[in-house]
Amino acid sequence: MRIAILGGGHGCYAAAADLSEAGHDVCLWRRDTTALRPVAETGSIVLKDADGAREVKISRATGDIGSALRDAQLIVVPTAAMAQADIARAMAPHLVDGQVVFLAPGTFGSYVMSRIAREAGCRADVAWAETGTLPYLARKHGDREVNITIRAVRLPTGVYPARKASQAISVIRAAYPSVHGCGDALSGALMNAGPIIHPPLMVMNAAPLQHFERWDIHNEGTQPAVRAVTDRLDLERIAVREALGYGAPHYPLADHYNNDQWMYGDAHKKLVKSGDWRESIDLHGHRYITEDTELGLAFLASVARWAGTDAPIAHGLLAIVGGFLGRDLRYGERTLDALVLANLSRAALQQRLHDGE
């Protein structure tokens, strides 16, 4: 299958190498052509995982998004949610009927990017899908080298518009067999693990993150008190899903620590052992704040408000992060209020998510 990978982060390079090795015709697009040059010149990425390191040939690497999207059946966007608006505008002139865009994860980006592309003049009948986490726990080790610690074994995925779910899931599963449908885009967004695992880790590790040059929030930073808050926050997420009528499996985050039933299977010990997450984290600029808190947690809190579901942990963490950022995060750009959806009834929103705009 012809696949376009958009972006230059850890997950983008992991996807380009992994899907190429699986036999797909992959084009990697990155806006920063200077940073992309090592891959473009060698035509390959060094992929490292439990099987060792090897060169994996990539069909193409380009800074031309039109060329990357041409004839692509599947478009994979494993980039941070903050980049989705710019990418949607860049994609808009080049999208064609029948293409599937897969956000991993999305932070309700499937709805947001579709709207932005349409406002930019795109009239293509495209399916936009989002899942609960990246298909990989991965870190780049160089300009064209990526280490995959573990691959996801379960990827619950929502589709916008939901009327295209069957087609979209079928296309995505050709690349990621671990994908399974979980309903519409809102259901997919409420599977996002980042806004559950990362805000408590950032808030409750704020002092060591600012004190030590490097700190592993998944090792020393994951203590019983942190786990307790994370579990309560996740129960709020699940309560929102249930209030909106979304059924199990909800993939409780506790399974990530306790057994092999979570999206990555039995992954936490491997994540810690890799050492790749002992890093310097800026409390103001890291994507755990800018993406998972300012956008993701604010989105979850807004859905809880709209659904009439109690979510004190979500609101409390949002208030604390807003405290050290110096701004109110309750009505940020990715909330239902900012998206002008909070005034809709549940039936009206469900209809819009099914039919599209």
Side-chain angles (χ1 to χ4, degrees):
M1 179 167 59
R2 181 160 288 188
I3 301 174
I5 311 290
L6 306 185
H10 308 294
C12 302
Y13 277 50
D18 192 55
L19 295 176
S20 293
E21 190 171 57
H24 297 287
D25 181 357
V26 172
C27 180
L28 174 63
W29 170 82
R30 186 173 185 179
R31 194 189 310 271
D32 186 343
T33 54
T34 300
L36 184 62
R37 188 174 298 143
V39 177
E41 290 180 348
T42 61
S44 66
I45 291 174
V46 177
L47 174 61
K48 298 164 61 178
D49 59 16
D51 294 328
R54 63 269 190 197
E55 296 268 351
V56 177
K57 290 293 182 183
I58 309 297
S59 294
R60 287 181 299 142
T62 180
D64 182 344
I65 197 168
S67 173
L69 297 183
R70 191 174 301 121
D71 299 324
Q73 296 165 266
L74 176 63
I75 302 162
V76 182
V77 188
T79 55
M82 301 83 70
Q84 289 172 351
D86 284 344
I87 291 176
R89 282 187 282 268
M91 294 169 68
H94 309 289
L95 293 169
V96 298
D97 289 351
Q99 288 181 312
V100 176
V101 182
F102 183 44
L103 311 180
T107 319
F108 207 44
S110 51
Y111 177 83
V112 172
M113 291 184 74
S114 173
R115 171 183 279 187
I116 292 171
R118 189 158 294 275
E119 289 172 349
C122 176
R123 293 297 177 264
D125 189 18
V126 174
W128 304 77
E130 62 182 89
T131 189
T133 190
L134 272 167
Y136 316 93
L137 286 175
R139 282 291 186 268
K140 291 166 68 177
H141 285 180
D143 292 337
R144 63 179 191 93
E145 182 176 299
V146 64
N147 181 60
I148 295 178
T149 301
I150 200 162
R151 294 166 173 82
V153 295
R154 303 172 187 90
L155 287 171
T157 299
V159 179
Y160 178 77
R163 60 180 171 80
K164 299 182 71 66
S166 179
Q167 174 230 345
I169 297 298
S170 177
V171 170
I172 300 168
R173 279 182 59 82
Y176 293 108
S178 55
V179 160
H180 68 84
C182 70
D184 59 29
L186 182 54
S187 176
L190 291 173
M191 287 291 193
N192 193 345
I196 305 303
I197 192 170
H198 294 136
L201 287 173
M202 297 295 278
V203 168
M204 300 180 77
N205 284 278
L209 283 173
Q210 291 192 319
H211 178 73
F212 295 108
E213 183 177 350
R214 297 166 68 84
W215 182 256
D216 190 337
I217 59 174
H218 297 288
N219 190 7
E220 297 93 339
T222 302
Q223 298 297 327
V226 179
R227 280 289 321 282
V229 172
T230 304
D231 288 348
R232 290 293 297 275
L233 177 60
D234 201 40
L235 288 175
E236 294 178 358
R237 175 190 68 89
I238 292 170
V240 172
R241 286 185 53 80
E242 291 176 338
L244 296 178
Y246 297 124
H250 301 298
Y251 291 99
L253 188 62
D255 287 348
H256 170 63
Y257 300 97
N258 298 332
N259 55 56
D260 63 357
Q261 298 304 301
W262 200 62
M263 299 181 207
Y264 289 126
D266 188 8
H268 183 68
K269 291 178 181 178
K270 293 179 181 178
L271 182 154
V272 171
K273 185 179 178 181
S274 74
D276 276 349
W277 278 260
R278 183 170 299 282
E279 55 191 346
S280 175
I281 293 180
D282 175 14
L283 277 179
H284 289 75
H286 197 278
R287 64 183 291 180
Y288 292 168
I289 293 293
T290 57
E291 177 177 27
D292 292 327
T293 308
E294 290 190 72
L295 297 184
L297 187 61
F299 171 77
L300 173 61
S302 77
V303 178
R305 275 196 309 270
W306 175 74
T309 304
D310 194 26
I313 304 296
H315 295 301
L317 288 169
L318 205 60
I320 293 171
V321 175
F324 66 67
L325 292 182
R327 54 185 180 274
D328 188 345
L329 303 182
R330 288 176 295 177
Y331 300 98
E333 64 184 75
R334 198 57 70 93
T335 61
L336 292 187
D337 312 85
L339 296 172
V340 198
L341 296 174
N343 61 327
L344 296 181
S345 67
R346 294 188 191 182
L349 180 56
Q350 184 180 39
Q351 192 68 45
R352 181 175 296 188
L353 292 176
H354 180 272
D355 296 342
E357 290 188 275

